Structure formats: C-alpha cells, structure tokens
C-alpha cells in the first residue's frame, strides 16, 4: 500500500520514522510529511501552541500539498493524534483513498461527508483524555453515516500516544498489539 503518515502535535519525532520503517518492512511505501517544517516539541502544550500559531487551514494546506503528488496511486491516510485528524480530513475528501488508519485520534466530520465503504481502523487508549467515550460513540455513528466501514480498538490503561517509546504514555504491550492489528488491516486492503 501507499501510505501517507502524519505526525502528532509533537512534530516529526523519531517514533514517526520508526513507524514508517516498520510499515516499509512490511512491504508498504510510506511518506512522512513534516507539517511543522522541522519543529518538534517536548510537551503537548508546546505543540498545540505551535499548531494554533500556524492555523488549521494552513496545516491542512500543507497536508494536501504533501499528499497530492501521490493521491492518484490510492493512498491509505494514517496519522498519530493530531496527525490522525489530518489524515481523516484528507481521506474523507479523497475519492481515491484506499483506507484510513487512525492512531490515537479522530476529528470532526463534515455533515456532507460521503465515502464509498472506506475501510477505517482506529486505535485509541481507554480512557483517553482527548478521545472521550461520548465523543468516540458520536464519531463512530457519524463515520458510519458517511459510508465508512469502521473498526475501533481500545487499549485499557494505555496513555494517549502509547505507541511512542520516547513519551511517558508509552505502553509496549498495547503498542505491539496495535501494530499487529494495523498491519493485518493494511494487508486486507491489498485484496
């Protein structure tokens, strides 16, 4: 598969490159655009302040420009937390999207969003301060109404971005389970 993998609010950290290498090792082609133009952050608060200073429209513009040269190939959009919200927005707007892999995050869904059985897989901590149960229930229903085929995997006791070994949220068992399931999901899209 051709995968466009977006970083979290921490920026393009080593964990994103490690994830891309894991995906490449499974036979996928992966791009990891840097929406923050080289900036990385040690805290969520710093990263969110940087996001706000750039603005959502500009960040989405950067993401679209990064994906545009490859979208004709039929991309799987993927991302971590903030990057998952970016991936979701792009996948719902790209009629050629092959799938959507969300790690640690979701986003609002436009009322007029429509896809044709887009395969979607979400991996999220339980509980997650950014992805509450009420929010996820509403999100799941809205994605279904938009035409997505959604699978949700919850990881009890894991921190928000539990796949990043350099963050305090890291949970090795949950991270390995996530990658095992996610790689199976990506393999299923090849059919």
């Amino acid at each position: 598969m051709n995968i466009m993998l977006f970083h979290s609010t921490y920026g393009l950290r080593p964990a994103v490159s490690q994830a891309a290498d894991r995906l490449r090792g499974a036979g996928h082609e992966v791009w990891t655009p840097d929406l923050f133009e080289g900036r990385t952050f040690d805290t969520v608060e710093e990263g969110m302040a940087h996001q706000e200073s750039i603005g959502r429209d500009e960040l989405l513009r950067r993401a679209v420009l990064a994906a545009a040269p490859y979208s004709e190939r039929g991309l799987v959009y993927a991302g971590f937390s903030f990057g998952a919200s970016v991936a979701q927005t792009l996948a719902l707007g790209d009629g050629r999207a092959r799938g959507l892999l969300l790690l640690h995050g979701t986003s609002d869904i436009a009322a007029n969003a429509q896809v044709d059985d887009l395969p979607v897989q979400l991996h999220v901590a339980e509980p997650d301060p950014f992805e509450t149960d009420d929010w996820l229930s509403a999100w799941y229903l809205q994605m279904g109404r938009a035409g997505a085929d959604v699978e949700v995997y919850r990881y009890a006791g894991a921190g928000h971005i539990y796949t990043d070994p350099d963050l305090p949220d890291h949970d090795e068992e949950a991270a390995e389970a996530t990658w095992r399931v996610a790689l199976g999901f990506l393999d299923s899209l090849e059919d």
Side-chain angles (χ1 to χ4, degrees):
M1 297 304 315
N2 297 301
I3 302 169
M4 187 64 54
L5 180 63
F6 293 101
H7 61 75
S8 75
T9 195
Y10 289 97
L12 190 58
R13 294 166 44 88
V16 180
S17 298
Q18 293 164 4
D21 288 344
R22 183 184 291 243
L23 295 168
R24 289 182 187 111
H28 304 290
E29 192 159 357
V30 184
W31 296 274
T32 56
D34 186 351
L35 303 182
F36 290 175
E37 299 176 330
R39 301 279 311 269
T40 60
F41 302 94
D42 294 324
T43 68
V44 170
E45 294 77 18
E46 291 171 334
M48 289 177 83
H50 185 66
Q51 276 176 237
E52 290 171 15
S53 73
I54 296 171
R56 181 149 178 87
D57 289 345
E58 173 60 18
L59 289 167
L60 285 174
R61 186 189 73 77
R62 292 176 185 182
V64 168
L65 288 174
Y70 310 103
S71 67
E72 285 187 18
R73 300 179 185 193
L75 289 171
V76 173
Y77 291 92
F80 298 95
S81 191
F82 153 74
S85 71
V86 171
Q88 177 184 304
T89 300
L90 268 60
L92 292 179
D94 181 352
R96 293 178 295 260
R98 298 284 309 274
L100 175 59
L101 176 61
L102 303 172
L103 302 163
H104 323 299
T106 61
S107 183
D108 295 330
I109 301 165
N112 62 347
Q114 282 296 310
V115 292
D116 187 18
D117 293 322
L118 178 71
V120 178
Q121 192 173 86
L122 168 64
H123 297 268
V124 66
E126 182 178 27
D128 188 307
F130 300 101
E131 301 289 327
T132 65
D133 290 343
D134 289 345
W135 168 264
L136 287 174
S137 294
W139 174 85
Y140 180 84
L141 292 171
Q142 290 174 323
M143 286 295 277
R145 279 195 292 272
D149 181 13
V150 181
E151 299 176 348
V152 178
Y153 294 86
R154 304 290 307 268
Y155 300 87
H160 176 58
I161 303 182
Y162 60 82
T163 57
D164 187 331
D166 296 326
L167 294 177
D169 288 347
H170 181 63
D171 183 313
E172 186 173 351
E173 186 176 329
E176 287 306 312
T178 295
W179 287 116
R180 205 170 29 255
V181 173
L183 289 171
F185 171 69
L186 293 169
D187 286 346
S188 76
L189 301 179
E190 302 268 3
D191 300 336

